[in-house]
Amino acid sequence: MSKCEKCGALIEAQETYEFAGESLCEDCYLEQRVKPVTCDPWAVYSARSTKGKAPQLSEIQGRILNLIKTKGPLEAPEICGQLDISEAMFQNNFATLRHMELARGFKDGDKVRYTLF
Ligand SMILES: [Zn+2]
């Protein structure tokens, strides 16, 4: 038995996860792994709960998809400007769309444009 260094839970050796040099329980390990997107509650929620389920888009993801469908391919600043969202918010949401294979980015000269998958 060892102890999770984050929440203090007792964990079996085979259920110990290493993250950044710490021994963590599965819950804390998953929490660490989704950390880059914890500012987006929906992304965290979906990372945990969409296993095997049909993907469901958040409102903002639907709007991004719709915009590049009708006006794309577009660059990030154009998308952010039209939807009035921050670049970070766009990147977070776009990562989900890309993960679902609904949209993708591609290089167009020295620019990156976004289009449907
Ligand atoms: Zn823990």
Side-chain angles (χ1 to χ4, degrees):
M1 284 287 232
S2 60
K3 234 178 181 188
C4 170
E5 290 177 45
K6 221 149 178 93
C7 68
L10 289 172
I11 30 178
E12 304 281 355
Q14 69 267 28
E15 284 165 9
T16 307
Y17 292 80
E18 289 288 328
F19 188 87
E22 292 185 319
S23 310
L24 302 176
C25 68
E26 187 175 9
D27 284 352
C28 293
Y29 175 69
L30 290 177
E31 211 157 301
Q32 291 300 310
R33 288 198 52 196
V34 298
K35 216 171 193 172
V37 288
T38 43
C39 56
D40 181 348
W42 190 88
V44 175
Y45 171 78
S46 67
R48 283 187 181 154
S49 62
T50 54
K51 250 184 243 166
K53 285 188 204 158
Q56 213 165 8
L57 299 182
S58 69
E59 194 224 326
I60 194 78
Q61 287 156 0
R63 285 167 65 200
I64 293 171
L65 205 57
N66 210 33
L67 183 67
I68 57 178
K69 195 186 279 178
T70 52
K71 297 188 179 164
L74 293 171
E75 289 172 62
E78 294 175 308
I79 295 168
C80 297
Q82 301 228 25
L83 299 180
D84 197 25
I85 56 175
S86 70
E87 172 119 20
M89 195 170 177
F90 165 68
Q91 293 296 350
N92 263 344
N93 284 287
F94 194 81
T96 307
L97 292 174
R98 191 171 44 216
H99 192 71
M100 293 176 182
E101 303 194 339
L102 291 172
R104 67 189 171 90
F106 67 95
K107 279 212 153 207
D108 183 16
D110 58 347
K111 293 180 170 144
V112 177
R113 292 185 199 277
Y114 298 90
T115 189
L116 295 183
F117 197 79

